């Protein structure tokens, strides 16, 4: 075991502060990574504040990790010292259940080990995330970052990226489809970039007219203001696919009305009760509502390769770890375009 | 035009009574049918009582029509006098929109002509349904009833049958799948029969333990009492498909928890607001909720052929037209196993 520096919350209401944590020594299947950058996800904030009532303190958040390989175990041949790699939301899973065999470790029937706040099989206690100097992870959960991407801006691909790429890919979005991305935040801005890169006619659907200009810069072909009933009527029944990134409960009926016959709206943001849906809005047109959770490791690598090919990264604002509490306050007010990324040099130098 | 006998409601609160209506003369594409039997659908009751706020009086209900061909137009070659035929929920559609071209006339973008309470293109006013002596319908909306089926018991196939067959077929239910049918009424009893005939392991899901015996007689392999939390837990994450026939708003969350990863629950009954759904119940396991509405004409014929092959008909109770008001009262109390069918001889003889 090695003691390393990290940033952690010691309780629900505490600010994040410097704390020493322990990492396991490298075992035969492990890769040890020197963390260069770590994205700040809204889940980090939820977990620190125990919004989901399952937080274990101290919480060391961070599951959008980019770094360089420091050391590999004897069984590791795909990675070597100096490689640019990433770690996302998961660091382990059973590898034997039907979900794992289908490359959908996020649905591991025995429970995937999440990057933080999960049971630590090796050291006991719970896992610690990427707001730290280094991390040791099983080789099956290490991702290769295409060298042509800006490494800092690639960090949020590991969560915000795969969360939006996966449903677009799984539901087969293709060139010429009319795709709506609902909500423009960390997830929504990646939804637009991916839908655009896949060749879809991409429509940003938002309540805020002042987001129009940004949405178009990100790749939206059109902006639909959901509060404008006439506009909503004009687009009724015209979408092949809707990616719903709204992070809170809301009325889905107006969006379902936008779908074509047999089309699907996928929820990726709202892990909470949604307002009453009218059965008729699904029945008329055989429409579907579905949910989607990050993506499996194989698909995450496919997403990163797609990003390398299409030069897709996130729009980010760099911060030092010492400013994380201020960043959380701004994140809660949606005052970021569109993702904070921590320069981990600030932790190492402190 | 010919005047014929029918049974109609003259206003929201009026009992159905005998009334003379007019039918058009047979045109070149038409088939005139002597109505032998007509099923009583819950929609008939809704429409008579103006529950959907769109009823046009007088309402002559009935869209589960079985009869013999009396006369055909010059362009009709697929049907001849004496053939046993059926007419379901639709009697016409534009035949040119993308839904019609995809054999999904129920979603006709220019509005299908429903068997009753729709605009009558030929005579003006609105269409009159099957609680009548005869009907004249475009040949494209005439269905062939397999001769080996009991014609009386085949009547409800035209609505209850296709409403449950279509989603099972569209979502590819196959031998060995574990399929749950939620709710045991007119729709649910057909859902069990079809799922069973398709070779699925069929589970009746109901709040009422006293429906168990009947469900098994209809073809259910198992009965799951949805109020029993332990039982529900035991079946969690195990269903390949759920057919939800509950006719009113309800909490879908406990049912969604029964679905396997990537599986779908289809709503066919609740044309009203549903209780708040938790986004997480769809996100965890990439599950879907969808809706389905009757079926297209081609698929309705496929369903009838399937019924002929597997000897599937409805469980019915025959009534005379003079007892329709009493039947409606019983229908509202779910006091029927499982569908009333009117012997139209009672109208003709009156």
């Amino acid at each position: 075991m090695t003691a390393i520096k990290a940033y952690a919350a010691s309780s629900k209401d505490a600010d994040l502060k410097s704390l020493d944590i322990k990492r396991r020594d490298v075992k035969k299947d492990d890769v040890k990574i020197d963390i260069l950058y770590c994205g700040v996800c809204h889940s980090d904030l939820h977990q620190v504040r125990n919004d989901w009532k399952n937080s274990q303190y101290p919480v060391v958040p961070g599951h959008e990790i980019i770094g360089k390989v420091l050391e590999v175990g004897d069984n590791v041949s795909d990675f070597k010292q100096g490689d640019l790699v990433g770690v996302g939301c998961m660091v382990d899973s059973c590898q034997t259940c039907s979900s794992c065999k289908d490359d959908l470790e996020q649905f591991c029937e025995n429970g995937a080990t999440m990057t933080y706040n999960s049971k630590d099989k090796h050291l006991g206690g719970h896992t610690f995330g990427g707001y730290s100097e280094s991390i040791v992870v099983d080789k099956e959960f290490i991702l290769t970052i295409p060298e042509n991407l800006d490494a800092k801006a690639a960090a949020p691909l590991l969560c915000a990226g795969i969360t939006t790429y996966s449903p677009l890919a799984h539901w087969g979005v293709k060139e010429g489809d009319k795709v709506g991305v609902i909500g423009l935040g960390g997830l929504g801005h990646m939804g637009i970039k991916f839908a655009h890169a896949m060749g879809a006619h991409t429509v940003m659907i938002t309540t805020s007219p002042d987001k129009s200009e940004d949405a178009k810069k990100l790749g939206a072909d059109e902006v639909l203001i959901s509060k404008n009933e006439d506009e909503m009527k004009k687009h009724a029944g015209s979408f092949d696919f809707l990616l719903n990134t709204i992070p809170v409960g809301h009325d889905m009926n107006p969006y379902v009305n936008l779908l074509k016959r047999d089309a699907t709206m996928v929820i990726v943001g709202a892990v909470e009760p949604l307002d009453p849906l009218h059965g008729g809005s699904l029945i008329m047109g055989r429409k579907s509502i579905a949910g989607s959770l990050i993506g499996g490791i194989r698909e995450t690598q496919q997403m990163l390769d797609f990003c390398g090919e299409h030069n897709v990264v996130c729009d980010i604002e760099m911060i030092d770890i010492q400013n994380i509490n201020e960043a959380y306050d701004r994140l809660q007010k949606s005052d970021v375009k569109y993702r904070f990324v921590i320069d981990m040099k600030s932790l190492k130098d402190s």
Side-chain angles (χ1 to χ4, degrees), chain A:
Chain A
M1 280 196 301
T2 318
I4 60 159
K5 286 187 202 168
Y7 249 63
S10 57
S11 74
K12 179 176 164 10
D13 300 313
D15 278 352
L16 274 75
K17 281 186 186 155
S18 181
L19 176 83
D20 282 355
I21 58 165
K22 293 201 169 102
R23 292 291 187 199
R24 70 176 183 266
D25 295 328
V26 172
K27 299 185 181 180
K28 61 187 196 327
D29 292 316
D30 284 343
V31 175
K32 180 171 188 174
I33 300 163
D34 174 38
I35 302 178
L36 300 176
Y37 309 110
C38 186
V40 177
C41 175
H42 215 105
S43 308
D44 297 354
L45 182 60
H46 284 303
Q47 210 78 67
V48 158
R49 301 191 177 171
N50 198 21
D51 289 339
W52 296 328
K53 312 287 177 210
N54 67 350
S55 298
Q56 304 172 75
Y57 294 97
V59 172
V60 177
H63 57 207
E64 298 178 343
I65 297 169
I66 299 282
K68 290 264 180 189
V69 173
L70 281 176
E71 191 185 338
V72 300
D74 290 345
N75 282 354
V76 179
S77 55
D78 289 348
F79 304 99
K80 60 177 195 305
Q81 208 182 348
D83 282 355
L84 187 68
V85 295
V87 173
C89 299
M90 299 179 284
V91 289
D92 210 347
S93 73
C94 81
Q95 304 278 309
T96 58
C97 73
S98 78
S99 292
C100 286
K101 285 187 172 160
D102 288 351
D103 292 311
L104 294 165
E105 300 86 357
Q106 74 271 36
F107 302 127
C108 173
E109 286 141 40
N110 296 302
T113 303
M114 307 314 282
T115 305
Y116 62 88
N117 201 51
S118 251
K119 192 179 169 197
D120 187 326
K121 287 187 203 174
H122 301 273
L123 299 184
H126 58 275
T127 52
F128 295 128
Y131 294 10
S132 57
E133 286 182 285
S134 62
I135 192 165
V136 180
V137 176
D138 187 285
K139 62 181 165 49
E140 302 297 335
F141 289 78
I142 306 287
L143 298 146
T144 297
I145 307 300
E147 292 286 344
N148 64 313
L149 297 180
D150 175 1
K152 298 185 290 296
L157 295 175
L158 279 322
C159 174
I162 185 63
T163 297
T164 48
Y165 174 91
S166 177
L168 291 164
H170 180 71
W171 272 271
V173 164
K174 59 187 190 306
E175 199 169 334
D177 281 355
K178 182 172 175 181
V179 170
V181 177
I182 307 169
L184 180 49
L187 293 175
H189 102 286
M190 287 312 302
I192 296 176
K193 289 189 182 204
F194 282 127
H196 175 75
M198 289 171 181
H201 179 84
T202 304
V203 182
M204 172 79 241
I205 304 172
T206 172
T207 51
S208 319
D210 57 356
K211 290 189 176 169
S212 298
E213 204 180 319
D214 261 30
K216 288 192 172 166
K217 274 187 210 154
L218 292 165
D221 297 291
E222 277 188 80
V223 176
L224 170 54
I225 306 302
S226 55
K227 285 177 175 167
N228 184 327
E229 282 185 31
D230 288 344
E231 282 289 303
M232 289 291 275
K233 250 183 221 162
K234 228 168 58 187
H235 285 267
S238 71
F239 282 86
D240 294 286
F241 186 78
L242 288 173
L243 180 67
N244 183 333
T245 75
I246 301 175
V248 293
H250 61 277
D251 181 4
M252 296 184 289
N253 292 294
Y255 303 117
V256 175
N257 287 341
L258 296 174
L259 291 171
K260 275 188 187 167
R261 163 169 61 81
D262 286 318
T264 300
M265 174 168 79
V266 174
I267 309 273
V268 292
V271 191
E272 45 187 277
L274 296 148
D275 296 358
L277 174 72
H278 198 290
S281 68
L282 296 178
I283 290 173
M284 297 312 300
R286 198 163 58 182
K287 297 171 181 178
S288 297
I289 292 176
S292 182
L293 177 74
I294 50 173
I297 295 299
R298 180 195 285 260
E299 195 182 43
T300 306
Q301 188 61 59
Q302 286 166 351
M303 178 272 305
L304 289 165
D305 296 344
F306 179 93
C307 288
E309 202 178 314
H310 295 267
N311 218 2
V312 171
V313 287
C314 307
D315 283 21
I316 58 164
E317 179 178 337
M318 293 300 294
I319 59 165
D320 287 342
I321 188 76
Q322 292 78 11
N323 301 122
I324 187 66
N325 298 301
E326 186 198 331
Y328 276 14
D329 289 343
R330 286 183 50 200
L331 183 58
Q332 191 145 38
K333 291 181 282 192
S334 302
D335 175 22
V336 56
K337 284 182 179 177
Y338 280 92
R339 208 72 161 177
F340 290 114
V341 173
I342 308 165
D343 187 342
M344 297 310 300
K345 195 168 176 294
S346 59
L347 176 65
K348 292 167 198 164
D349 292 349
S350 66

